[in-house]
Amino acid sequence: MSILQIKFESDRILRRKSAVVKVIDRKIRRLLDDMLETMYHASGVGLAAPQIGINKRLIVVDVGDEGQGPWQLINPVIVSRSEDEELGAEGCLSCPGIVGDVWRSAEVTVRAYDIEGNLIDIQAKGFEARCFQHEIDHLDGRLFIDIAENIRPAQENEAAAECEDCGGSCECCHACSSGAAAEE
């Protein structure tokens, strides 16, 4: 597996709609493995193919104990959303050093193909639902900064990320304090 270079906000590929993957082969599976390794290396919780310069509908998500992953998904789409929304801090590996508050559905159902080519439905809630929405936005050329409120330096979010139960050591707090909540 390989660590891939992450593209930043100014890269035009991040603003393009990604192409549907038509064949799930060894090359796609290897790319998904490389994406997962790249995400972990960057201390992220999600990564979309455009973020590594690949115009394909591929994402990886792993929110640790708060979710069901790691997920390696091909052609993911959100097929249902809860009416309940939550405001939460998000960051992005492609927009380092900043966070912003984004309204997202509290629960989503994602339909995608897994690496074996099986069509699956994933019911996600909370932080994991937020991550899926964030990553799928990338596939449509949208960055969190397009819809975020209160964009600020990630360092300002560190104090807010501390929670009483874990002292800031849980996956959610770690992601927020590293400027990576809900994605990367």
Side-chain angles (χ1 to χ4, degrees):
M1 294 197 298
S2 302
I3 305 295
L4 307 169
Q5 183 177 1
I6 296 172
K7 303 295 182 186
F8 296 112
E9 173 190 351
S10 60
D11 197 301
R12 293 171 62 167
I13 196 164
L14 294 173
R15 296 304 187 165
R16 292 176 51 198
K17 187 169 174 107
S18 298
V20 171
V21 174
K22 295 182 180 176
V23 176
I24 301 170
D25 57 12
R26 186 173 48 93
K27 185 176 178 182
I28 292 294
R29 286 190 288 275
R30 178 174 168 96
L31 178 58
L32 284 163
D33 286 344
D34 289 346
M35 287 173 61
L36 203 56
E37 184 174 354
T38 300
M39 180 193 76
Y40 290 141
H41 183 263
S43 299
V45 294
L47 188 69
Q51 292 181 273
I52 53 153
I54 306 291
N55 188 34
K56 294 189 183 298
R57 296 189 76 80
L58 303 168
I59 65 169
V60 295
V61 170
D62 187 358
V63 298
D65 292 342
E66 291 186 50
Q68 310 163 64
W71 296 106
Q72 296 174 296
L73 302 178
I74 300 138
N75 300 329
V77 294
I78 296 172
V79 294
S80 71
R81 300 173 184 266
S82 67
E83 289 185 25
D84 294 334
E85 291 188 337
E86 299 173 339
L87 182 66
E90 293 187 17
C92 181
L93 291 176
S94 292
C95 304
I98 61 171
V99 295
D101 300 323
V102 179
W103 286 99
R104 300 277 189 191
S105 297
E107 297 182 29
V108 296
T109 300
V110 176
R111 181 168 292 151
Y113 291 95
D114 66 14
I115 62 172
E116 302 302 323
N118 302 308
L119 187 62
I120 60 172
D121 283 351
I122 303 162
Q123 277 81 37
K125 60 184 177 180
F127 188 51
E128 189 171 48
R130 178 173 295 279
C131 289
F132 280 124
Q133 292 169 82
H134 181 113
E135 297 311 326
I136 292 170
D137 275 355
H138 274 299
L139 303 180
D140 294 323
R142 184 175 28 227
L143 299 175
F144 89 99
I145 57 175
D146 299 335
I147 56 175
E149 304 171 2
N150 189 27
I151 296 173
R152 60 201 178 272
Q155 297 85 346
E156 289 181 18
N157 207 54
E158 288 180 21
E162 298 281 333
C163 72
E164 294 175 17
D165 296 329
C166 71
S169 62
C170 71
E171 183 70 26
C172 178
C173 290
H174 172 73
C176 290
S177 67
S178 67
E183 183 179 32
E184 300 127 346

